[in-house]
Amino acid sequence: MTQTETPSRGSVTSEGLATRAPCGRSGVCFFIQLYSKVFKKVVNMASDDITQLADSLSKTHVGDGELSFKGLGLKLDNAESVRELVTKIDQYQGLRALRLGGNTVGVEAAKAIAKALCSKDQLQRCYWSDMFTGRLRSEIPTALMSLSGALMSAGARLTELDLSDNAFGPDGVKGIEELMKSASCHTLRELRLNNCGMGIGGGKILAEALIESHKKSTALGSPLRLKVFFAGRNRLENEGASALAKAFQLMGTLEEIHMPQNGINYAGVIALASAIRENPDLQVLNFNDNTFTKRGTLAMAQALRLLRNVQVINFGDCLVRSEGAIALAAVLREGLPILRELNLSFGEITGGAALVVAQAAMDKPHMEKVNLNGNCLGEDGCEVLREVMDNMDKGDMLASLSEDEGEPDDEEDEDSANGDSDASDECYETDECEEIVKDNGITGGGSPEKPQKQAEIQTFLCSPTAEKLSHMKMNLQEQVNAAEPNQAADIFLKIGSLYSEDTEAKLAVFEMTDEVLKKVLSASALQSYCFLTSLLVLMGVLKGERKVKKMSLVPGQLLCLEHAVQQEYFSQDHVSLLHTLLSRNGDALKSCSAARERLCSALENKWHKFH
C-alpha cells in the first residue's frame, strides 16, 4: 500500500491501530489480525527492560574465576529480572568470586540468585557492597539470609566478604549471623562492613558470631584467622567497640583494623588497645575521627610499644592532644621500626608537641608521611616545623599545614592561676595519666607503696620541709613509682622548692632529685616521657588536657633541673624533649628568668654535645 492509498477495509495501520472493522467472517479475521499486532507491540514494550538488562549483562566481567556485575545499576526485583544473571552464574564453572555491588537486589531476586549459588562450592570471595539501595530495611535481612543460606548449603569456604555501604542496621547483621558462625566463614581472611549502620547492637551480634566461629573452627583444628577488618561509620560507640575488641583479642591474627567514625571515646579505645596487644602482626591501624583524649592515647601508646610490624597509623581527628602526642612520640623513639605513615591531624596538638612528634618521626628509616595538619601550631609554629624538617632534608615527609587552627587561647582558671585552693582539697590528685598507665601495665618495677609510706609522701607534698625530706631520704627511691608520673613530678618540684645556696642543703636536695629522676628516667621511653610531660604541665610550660593547679615556681626548681640535665642519666631524648618544649614555651618561666637562662644554657650545651 502506497502512502497515497487509504487503508482497505479490515487493514491495520503502521501504528498498529485499526480503521473501521467490517462485519461477518471478514470481521473475525480483522480482529484476530488486530489483536495479534497489538499483543506483539505490548510484548515489545515489556521486553525493553529485559533488553536493557541483557545489554548490561553483556558488559559483565568474566575471568580468573570471577564473575562481576558491579556497577551496572540494575534494579532486580524478582526472579524474571535476574533470569539472565542467574543463567550466567549457573553456567560459570569454577566460580570463585562474585561481584554484585552497585545494583539493587530485592527479596525475590535474592532468592533466585541464592538458588543458583547453591551449587557453587568453590566460591571464596563475595563482593556484595551497595546492593540494597532503595530497599526497605525489613527486606534486607531476608535477602541476606537467602544468600547466606545458599553459601552454607553449597559448602563454600569464604576468604573475603564485603557488605559495605548497605545500610542494614542491627537487623542486617542478624541476616549474616548464621553465616558468620558457620564453617563457610571459618576460612575468612577479610571482612568489610563499612557504613552499614550496625550500631551497638549490631556490633555485639557480630562480635559474638566471630567469637563462636573462632571457637568452632579451633575445635576442628583450624582456627579462624581473620586478617583484615573494616567497620567504619557504624555508630559502634564504646559498647560495640568493646565487644569487638574481645573477638580481636581471641583471634590474635589481625593485620589491618579500620574503624573510623564510630563515636568511640577513651573507654572503647582502652578496650581496643588491650586487643591490639594480642595481634602482633598488625600493619595498619585506622581509628580516624573517634575521641581518644589523653587516656585513650596513652593506652594505645602502651599497646603500640609491643608491635613491630605496624606501617600505617591513622589517629587523625582523634583529639590526642599534646600530652597524648608526646606519648606517641616516645613510642616512635623506642619502637615501631618500619612505620611509614603517621596521621595525627586535627588533634588539638600545640606547636612544641608537634615538633617533638616530628623529631621522633624523622628518625624512622621507613617514614614517608607525617600529617600534623589542623592542629594548634600557629603561624610561627608551622614555620618552625617546616624549617626543622627542611633542615633535615625531610620536608617532603610533612603533609600540608594549610588547615592549622592557630595557637590556642590561654584560658587559665583564675583560682588555678592564683594558686588558690580550698583547705579541704586534696594535696595531690591522681592524674588520668596515672590511672591509664596502671590499667595498661605501665609499671616501673618498684614495689607497691605501703599505706604508711604513701601517707609519708602525702604529708610531704602537702607541706614540704627539709625535716620531712630527711625522713624520706632512705626510702624515697622505693616510693617513687614511674607508673605514677604526676606524683613523681610533684615530688620533684616539692623537693626542688627546698633548694638553697647553702652548700650542705643544696647537695642534699640535689641528691634527692637525682634519686627521683634516676628512677623515672631509667624506665621505658613512654614512662619517662609521661613524667617529663607531667612535669612541664605542672610548671605551666605545656597546656594539659585537664585544668591543673599550677605550681608556684621558685628558681630552685629550675636549678635542680639544670643540675639534672648535666648528669649521665639525662639522655639525649630527654634533653631533646625539654629543649624543644622550653624553646617554644619558655615565657611560662619568666618569673624565674635568671634560673630559666641557666637551665636553657645547660640544655643548649648538652644538645650540642649530642649533636
Side-chain angles (χ1 to χ4, degrees):
M1 183 169 60
T2 65
Q3 291 181 345
T4 58
E5 293 176 318
T6 59
S8 61
R9 179 177 292 182
S11 66
V12 179
T13 65
S14 60
E15 287 77 22
L17 300 176
T19 53
R20 181 167 55 88
C23 299
R25 182 175 294 179
S26 61
V28 174
C29 294
F30 166 78
F31 281 114
I32 291 173
Q33 185 181 20
L34 171 63
Y35 290 133
S36 175
K37 294 286 186 180
V38 171
F39 178 74
K40 286 180 180 179
K41 184 171 182 67
V42 171
V43 169
N44 287 336
M45 291 172 64
S47 66
D48 285 347
D49 290 339
I50 296 174
T51 301
Q52 184 181 358
L53 173 60
D55 290 340
S56 296
L57 292 177
S58 68
K59 302 172 185 176
T60 301
H61 169 74
V62 179
D64 300 326
E66 179 177 300
L67 186 57
S68 175
F69 304 96
K70 181 181 177 181
L72 299 181
L74 303 174
K75 191 171 187 296
L76 307 173
D77 295 322
N78 50 43
E80 180 60 26
S81 66
V82 293
R83 183 166 53 85
E84 294 288 340
L85 185 151
V86 166
T87 299
K88 284 183 176 285
I89 293 174
D90 276 333
Q91 293 176 349
Y92 198 109
Q93 299 300 314
L95 181 64
R96 288 182 171 80
L98 178 62
R99 296 184 184 271
L100 294 174
N103 303 290
T104 176
V105 181
V107 172
E108 295 305 317
K111 289 179 179 178
I113 295 171
K115 187 175 180 181
L117 293 177
C118 282
S119 61
K120 302 302 175 183
D121 60 340
Q122 296 182 52
L123 186 60
Q124 297 175 345
R125 304 185 302 278
C126 296
Y127 304 110
W128 295 351
S129 62
D130 186 23
M131 57 183 251
F132 296 114
T133 301
R135 300 294 170 182
L136 297 175
R137 282 277 288 269
S138 58
E139 293 182 84
I140 301 174
T142 305
L144 287 172
M145 286 179 186
S146 295
L147 295 169
S148 297
L151 295 173
M152 292 185 284
S153 179
R157 294 293 182 266
L158 298 185
T159 57
E160 296 180 44
L161 178 61
D162 185 357
L163 288 167
S164 298
D165 301 316
N166 290 311
F168 48 51
D171 289 341
V173 184
K174 292 178 182 177
I176 60 169
E177 182 179 6
E178 292 307 314
L179 173 65
M180 295 303 305
K181 294 177 181 179
S182 74
S184 290
C185 283
H186 289 177
T187 50
L188 200 61
R189 297 293 179 263
E190 300 184 17
L191 178 60
R192 290 175 168 82
L193 294 167
N194 271 333
N195 193 30
C196 289
M198 289 191 289
I200 294 171
K204 289 181 175 180
I205 294 169
L206 178 62
E208 287 301 320
L210 287 170
I211 289 170
E212 185 168 338
S213 181
H214 185 271
K215 289 179 179 178
K216 286 181 176 179
S217 57
T218 301
L220 294 172
S222 183
L224 171 65
R225 298 182 58 81
L226 191 66
K227 294 184 176 182
V228 177
F229 181 82
F230 282 73
R233 299 182 65 190
N234 271 293
R235 305 192 311 275
L236 294 169
E237 301 181 16
N238 290 338
E239 291 184 63
S242 297
L244 285 167
K246 293 178 182 177
F248 297 164
Q249 190 165 358
L250 181 65
M251 291 184 290
T253 55
L254 286 166
E255 296 177 3
E256 296 184 26
I257 300 177
H258 302 258
M259 296 175 67
Q261 290 184 295
N262 270 296
I264 307 168
N265 66 29
Y266 75 87
V269 174
I270 291 171
L272 289 166
S274 296
I276 283 170
R277 294 180 179 189
E278 306 302 323
N279 287 265
D281 296 326
L282 270 170
Q283 299 174 22
V284 179
L285 282 174
N286 178 6
F287 292 114
N288 189 285
D289 198 8
N290 290 291
T291 308
F292 281 30
T293 62
K294 184 173 73 172
R295 298 181 74 175
T297 309
L298 286 169
M300 198 61 73
Q302 173 63 12
L304 289 170
R305 290 182 63 230
L306 307 174
L307 304 179
R308 311 296 294 174
N309 297 304
V310 177
Q311 299 180 38
V312 178
I313 293 175
N314 186 346
F315 295 164
D317 206 9
C318 284
L319 215 61
V320 300
R321 296 198 172 112
S322 296
E323 293 167 278
I326 292 171
L328 291 171
V331 177
L332 288 176
R333 290 289 189 193
E334 66 177 345
L336 301 173
I338 60 173
L339 189 67
R340 294 186 294 105
E341 296 181 24
L342 176 64
N343 184 348
L344 296 180
S345 59
F346 299 94
E348 293 189 5
I349 301 169
T350 55
L355 271 176
V356 172
V357 171
Q359 288 166 348
M362 286 189 291
D363 288 340
K364 309 307 291 183
H366 301 281
M367 187 66 77
E368 298 172 3
K369 187 66 64 179
V370 177
N371 190 345
L372 291 165
N373 197 17
N375 284 298
C376 304
L377 281 61
E379 187 175 342
D380 181 52
C382 290
E383 187 59 35
V384 170
L385 181 59
R386 291 191 191 98
E387 183 179 339
V388 166
M389 298 195 73
D390 284 338
N391 288 343
M392 296 293 292
D393 199 25
K394 302 281 188 178
D396 292 342
M397 182 188 295
L398 183 64
S400 168
L401 299 173
S402 60
E403 296 180 75
D404 187 74
E405 297 285 341
E407 293 187 66
D409 295 330
D410 189 16
E411 298 177 354
E412 291 291 340
D413 181 77
E414 295 243 349
D415 290 338
S416 295
N418 296 328
D420 296 335
S421 64
D422 191 278
S424 63
D425 288 347
E426 292 184 42
C427 296
Y428 173 76
E429 179 177 305
T430 300
D431 186 79
E432 288 176 342
C433 179
E434 298 173 10
E435 297 171 13
I436 204 63
V437 294
K438 289 177 184 175
D439 290 344
N440 284 273
I442 307 179
T443 58
S447 59
E449 291 85 4
K450 296 177 182 178
Q452 183 180 354
K453 293 180 179 180
Q454 187 64 27
E456 198 173 84
I457 289 179
Q458 294 295 340
T459 301
F460 174 75
L461 292 177
C462 287
S463 179
T465 65
E467 184 181 358
K468 290 176 184 174
L469 181 62
S470 65
H471 287 303
M472 295 174 61
K473 185 174 180 180
M474 299 304 295
N475 55 19
L476 181 64
Q477 187 175 18
E478 180 185 347
Q479 294 180 56
V480 171
N481 192 341
E484 295 180 344
N486 199 64
Q487 187 187 58
D490 202 1
I491 290 173
F492 173 85
L493 290 173
K494 292 293 173 58
I495 296 172
S497 70
L498 301 175
Y499 174 94
S500 79
E501 289 300 330
D502 175 78
T503 303
E504 186 176 346
K506 179 166 62 175
L507 290 176
V509 167
F510 282 165
E511 182 182 353
M512 298 297 283
T513 54
D514 283 342
E515 291 295 316
V516 173
L517 293 179
K518 283 178 184 176
K519 180 75 174 286
V520 295
L521 296 183
S522 63
S524 70
L526 180 56
Q527 289 172 326
S528 61
Y529 271 48
C530 254
F531 165 76
L532 291 172
T533 300
S534 298
L535 181 65
L536 293 170
V537 169
L538 290 175
M539 292 169 64
V541 174
L542 188 67
K543 185 175 181 180
E545 184 171 277
R546 291 173 52 188
K547 288 198 187 253
V548 178
K549 179 183 173 183
K550 270 178 68 173
M551 183 78 64
S552 295
L553 293 179
V554 295
Q557 294 160 328
L558 302 188
L559 295 177
C560 286
L561 263 182
E562 178 212 9
H563 162 79
V565 164
Q566 301 172 59
Q567 308 309 308
E568 289 186 7
Y569 61 73
F570 220 93
S571 73
Q572 179 177 348
D573 288 345
H574 301 143
V575 170
S576 177
L577 177 62
L578 273 188
H579 182 271
T580 298
L581 293 173
L582 285 175
S583 66
R584 294 290 304 159
N585 304 288
D587 287 347
L589 307 178
K590 59 187 176 182
S591 63
C592 306
S593 56
R596 180 190 66 184
E597 291 303 318
R598 287 179 57 175
L599 172 58
C600 289
S601 177
L603 285 167
E604 283 285 344
N605 291 335
K606 192 81 173 266
W607 173 266
H608 289 302
K609 178 183 177 182
F610 285 130
H611 290 81

